[in-house]
Amino acid sequence: MPFLLAMDLPIGSQVPFMSNPQLPLDPIQLAVPTEVDDGNVESFDPVKRAVLLADTLPRLWCGTYKPFDGNPEVNVKLTLTSLTPMGQMVDLRGSMELGSVTTPVQGNLHAKSDQLDLIPLASPLIAGAEPGGVFLGLQAFSPSGWESPRLINTNDSGGGIGGRLALSSECAQPPLQPLW
C-alpha cells in the first residue's frame, strides 16, 4: 500500500526512517571535534578598533556637498569635538559648516563595517537638506549620501531629494599671500 504524506496516521504508528547515504550520521565522527586552521579564524576585534578609532580619527574634515536637485555645490567643514567608543560603535559629536550654515552634529561610526550616520541638529539647513535627515556613509566619511526624513516628491523642487557629501581628512590650507 503506498504511503501518502497527507494521510492521517494512527497514534503510536511508526514511520520507517531511511538515511541518506551522502550524509552518514556516524556517532563516532560526530564526537570528534573539528580542527580549525589558524588562518580561518577571524581575529578582528571591533571593540578594540572602536577604541583605536576614537583615539586616532582626525578631528577636522573638509569637503563638498552636491545636492541632486541642481542647487549649487557648497563647501563643508566638519569638526569633531568628542569621539567616545561604545562597544563596536564610536559616538561622534561636533559641528558642521554647510556653506553659510553652521549646525551641531552627532552620529555613529561602526568600527567593524565603517558605516556612518551623521545627523545635523540645526533647524534651518541648506537647500536640498531638511531637518531630521541624516548623512549615511558606507565607507566612513566619504562618500556619504543624504537621506531625507520623509518621502519626497521628485517633481517638487523645494523638497530635498538628496545629495552627495564627500569629505577628506586632508584639509588644504589656503596659500598665504605676502603683504608686499
Side-chain angles (χ1 to χ4, degrees):
M1 170 173 154
F3 179 72
L4 300 175
L5 294 176
M7 63 188 276
D8 291 330
L9 294 175
I11 296 175
S13 64
Q14 294 184 2
V15 178
F17 173 74
M18 295 185 184
S19 67
N20 187 349
Q22 283 89 17
L23 300 173
L25 296 174
D26 185 9
I28 304 245
Q29 288 180 349
L30 293 176
V32 176
T34 306
E35 293 183 23
V36 180
D37 296 336
D38 291 336
N40 293 339
V41 176
E42 183 178 333
S43 62
F44 178 75
D45 187 358
V47 175
K48 286 183 182 177
R49 183 165 186 255
V51 172
L52 179 68
L53 282 173
D55 291 338
T56 62
L57 203 62
R59 301 298 198 252
L60 184 63
W61 295 80
C62 299
T64 58
Y65 174 68
K66 173 88 173 127
F68 294 143
D69 60 3
N71 283 311
E73 183 175 279
V74 295
N75 290 328
V76 176
K77 181 179 172 185
L78 173 66
T79 306
L80 298 174
T81 56
S82 169
L83 285 89
T84 308
M86 296 181 173
Q88 297 183 11
M89 306 291 278
V90 179
D91 179 55
L92 309 170
R93 305 290 169 119
S95 65
M96 178 184 280
E97 295 176 16
L98 291 160
S100 62
V101 176
T102 301
T103 175
V105 292
Q106 71 180 42
N108 295 314
L109 177 63
H110 195 277
K112 185 170 184 177
S113 65
D114 281 340
Q115 292 181 353
L116 169 77
D117 61 328
L118 198 60
I119 306 167
L121 301 175
S123 185
L125 292 174
I126 61 171
E130 58 184 309
V134 62
F135 288 105
L136 295 176
L138 298 178
Q139 298 172 351
F141 287 92
S142 188
S144 300
W146 176 256
E147 184 176 300
S148 181
R150 60 185 175 90
L151 292 176
I152 54 170
N153 182 356
T154 57
N155 296 327
D156 178 18
S157 60
I161 61 169
R164 183 178 185 271
L165 177 68
L167 295 174
S168 173
S169 63
E170 299 174 7
C171 296
Q173 297 295 329
L176 295 174
Q177 296 291 329
L179 294 175
W180 52 87

